[in-house]
Every structure is written in structure tokens, then in C-alpha cells.
Amino acid sequence: MSDDMDMEDGGTIKKFMFVNRKAPYGTIYALEALEVVLISAAFEQDVSMAFVDDGVYQLMKGINSEGTELKNFSKTYRALDGYDIEKLYVEQESLEARGLTEDDLLVDVTVMSAAELAATMAEQDVVISH
Amino acid sequence: MLHIINKSPSERNSVEAALRLATKGSVVLLIEDAVYAATRGNTAAAKIQTAMADLKIYALKPDLETRGMADRVMDGVSLVDYAGFVDLVAEQPNCQSWL
Amino acid sequence: MKFGILVNEGPYTHQSSDSAFKFAQAAIAKGHEVTRVFFYHDGVNNATRLTVPPVDDRHVVNRWAELGEKHGVDLVVCIAAAQRRGLLDDNEAKRQGKDANNIHPAFRISGLGQLVEAGIQNDRLVTFGD
């Protein structure tokens, strides 16, 4: 990705939030969204991911896609830490509405109320959703 | 912040999600199939009505007209064209599309 | 003001590409600069030069190409998303041993870093999708 690194912005650091509201596997959005997040790590921006609505299903433990032959990208969420992407925000209301708790998720996350997440989202420079 | 929504409230929960996660004083723009949320008697009408106390709600006029809904817009919803859409993006410090 | 645009859906099936185009056109008409449109997910299908819509309909691909050429808008297609979906430029076709290419010359293929860069270098990044 060396051509992507030729930037003229002189070290601008912006707050990027990637908002995930779609369940994985039924569509490709979750997988391709994750690819953007991984690339963003190379730009040394202030990156966070928010998991809202069906997006929380992306983080389920115990995913096994052998039967469907879809590419299992669960382990990529575990690798985010290695890319210094540590701000993973999960909306409490979305978990509750799906009968889930933090224990059901495969990575360490920060669970936030809708009000907290709304305030965090409002202070971003760039919000990207898929 | 500008919240851009493009899905009908009877098909997806985007309108509901955006209203839940919009801070007071934010701006909401309904485009494409989300313009149905701006019309009288739709499934989200009561939610939109309540939200107007804290949020400014806009709908994209060309999308309403394209769907034959231009004369059914709820009181309190403001209409913009694409130039107005650009102005909203420019005026607000950031934007989120509720896909 | 400088705008970047992200288009996540293909032409004709979804309105996303039309909305993005109308937005870009209006922004330019108001004296703003649209520096880059990034095509991701099925949005890469906006770049195929083989599109043949009915004569009484808009030509989504040519319309983007003309806007790009007239106003210096950088039309970038995500290489990974494009390859998954069978969209190749001449270089990629040769590299992958394929017998044809289908990217319109007004578009260029590049990496996802170009999307992150569009978020960093523009005042606003607006997403259109499903």
C-alpha cells in the first residue's frame, strides 16, 4: 500500500469512527468494512469502531462457517488490537434488544449507553458506514 | 451533526436508530426511501413528531416528488433540493449516513 | 469547501449512485470542490465501461466519467472490491492473466487507503449506500 502513504496532509490527525450496523455473513458489508478499518491503521488517525443494532452480531463468539463455506473473518476482530485499534464501542441498548451481554462477544469492548455513544459520535471528524 | 437517512421506516430501523443516537440540536435529512418517514400517517410519524422538539428535520424534495409524496409532508419538516443538501453538509461539522 | 464522496452500491439497482452524483453536481455548482469519489462494495460496478442502459434512461457510468473529466474529480475504484466482482483495468487484467478489461478510462483502480485519505484531506466525507 506504499502509494497510499504519499500524503500531503502534514500529519493531520482526525477522529474516524467506523459505524457497523449490519449483521455479518448475510451481506459482505461487515467483512469489507473491516478491511477499511485495517487500512486506516496505517494512517495513524484516531480510529474507533461502533457496533450498533445488528452490527453487534459481528462480534459473536463461536462463529463456524464451515457449513456455508463463507469466509470466516471472526479472527480479524481479535487482530485489531495488534493494529492499535482499541476503541471498540458497543451500544448497550443494541445488546439488550438482542438478548446479549458483553460475555457473548469475542473481543474486549467498551459498552456504552445510547446517550454516551451519541455524544462520542457527535465529536468525530469523519464517520464512515457501510 | 447531520444524520442522513435513506431507508423507509417500515423496511429498516435506520430512522429509529438515527433518532436514538442523535444528540439534541442535531439535524436529520431524509433522502431516497426515507422520505416516506416525513409523510403524514406513516409508521414513524409519531416518532418524527416527537423528535422535532430536539432535532431539525429536513426531507429531500426531489425524492418526495419522485415518489408522489410531495403534498403529504408533515408540518414542521423542511424541504431542501440537492443544493440545500450540500448546504446542510457544509453547515454541520460532521455527518453520518445511516446505512 | 472540499468534499469527498463514498459510493457503496452499484448503478440502477440502488439510488445511491444517483444521489451521490446529484450531490456532487450540486456541490460543484455551488463553488465547492469534489476532490474524490471512492467506489466501494458493489459501488465498483459504477466503473464498468461495458454498461449499456436503454436509450431513454440516464447513463450512470458515462455521467460520472464526464463529471470527473470536466471538474477534475478523482474517480477511484477499490481494487480489492473490484477484483472480487470481476472488474479489471488493463494492467490488472494482464497481471491476472485475463483476456479482457472493463474499467472505464475515466476511473482508476487503487487501494482502500485512498478512501481513508479522502477522509483526512477533505472537509467532509459523505457516504451513499444501502
Side-chain angles (χ1 to χ4, degrees), chain C residues 6 12-13 16-17 29 59 81 93 101 114:
Chain C
L6 169 61
Y12 304 106
T13 302
S16 318
S17 179
H59 197 307
N101 66 71
Q114 301 281 306

Side-chain angles (χ1 to χ4, degrees), chain A residues 19 21-22 52-53 91 93-94 114 117-119 121-125 127 129-130, chain B residues 1 3 12-15 17-18 20-23 26 93-99:
Chain A
V19 179
R21 293 183 55 246
K22 288 177 177 151
V52 180
D53 296 318
E91 191 207 18
E93 285 82 345
S94 296
L117 184 59
M121 186 183 287
E123 65 188 26
Q124 302 298 313
D125 295 306
V127 184
S129 50
H130 300 269
Chain B
M1 183 167 199
H3 297 270
R12 299 257 191 102
N13 71 340
S14 326
V15 168
R20 190 173 78 235
L21 289 163
T23 52
S26 297
N94 52 7
C95 59
Q96 143 76 347
S97 297
W98 291 88
L99 307 179

Side-chain angles (χ1 to χ4, degrees), chain C residues 105-125:
Chain C
F107 296 75
R108 68 184 179 93
I109 277 197
S110 190
L112 275 170
Q114 301 281 306
L115 168 60
V116 181
E117 193 187 80
I120 297 170
Q121 294 180 347
N122 289 294
D123 299 302
R124 301 285 184 276
L125 179 69

Side-chain angles (χ1 to χ4, degrees), chain B residues 2 4 18 31-32 39-40 51 57 63 65-66 69-70 83 92:
Chain B
L2 175 65
I4 303 163
I31 69 168
E32 301 176 3
T39 60
R40 292 188 296 274
I57 315 260
D63 278 331
E65 290 169 343
T66 297
M69 302 302 277
Q92 294 297 313

Side-chain angles (χ1 to χ4, degrees), chain A residues 18-37 58 73 77 128-130, chain B residues 97 99, chain C residues 5-11 13-14 16-17 37-48 76-87 103 107 109-112 115 126-130:
Chain A
F18 294 95
V19 179
N20 296 274
R21 293 183 55 246
K22 288 177 177 151
Y25 301 105
T27 58
I28 199 170
Y29 300 105
L31 186 156
E32 288 190 329
L34 205 43
E35 290 181 352
V36 183
V37 176
Q58 294 178 22
F73 54 96
Y77 294 102
I128 296 182
S129 50
H130 300 269
Chain B
S97 297
L99 307 179
Chain C
I5 293 175
L6 169 61
V7 177
N8 285 343
E9 297 298 336
T13 302
H14 293 93
S16 318
S17 179
V37 181
F38 191 87
F39 297 91
Y40 196 38
H41 304 295
D42 281 357
V44 298
N45 291 307
N46 284 285
T48 169
V76 183
V77 182
C78 170
I79 186 163
Q83 288 186 338
R84 263 191 192 116
R85 293 164 177 83
L87 275 98
I103 299 275
F107 296 75
I109 277 197
S110 190
L112 275 170
L115 168 60
V126 189
T127 303
F128 294 86
D130 185 48

Side-chain angles (χ1 to χ4, degrees), chain A residues 61-130:
Chain A
K61 281 178 183 166
I63 281 173
N64 176 352
S65 64
E66 279 174 34
T68 57
E69 294 186 24
L70 294 169
K71 183 179 171 182
N72 184 338
F73 54 96
S74 265
K75 60 181 179 298
T76 313
Y77 294 102
R78 288 186 190 277
L80 288 170
D81 193 39
Y83 287 81
D84 290 330
I85 294 165
E86 292 159 344
K87 294 177 181 171
L88 306 183
Y89 306 138
V90 175
E91 191 207 18
Q92 177 75 38
E93 285 82 345
S94 296
L95 283 176
E96 284 171 7
R98 286 157 185 79
L100 302 174
T101 68
E102 201 176 339
D103 292 339
D104 297 310
L105 309 180
L106 83 169
V107 285
D108 287 335
V109 299
T110 305
V111 177
M112 288 185 170
S113 67
E116 287 173 302
L117 184 59
T120 307
M121 186 183 287
E123 65 188 26
Q124 302 298 313
D125 295 306
V126 183
V127 184
I128 296 182
S129 50
H130 300 269

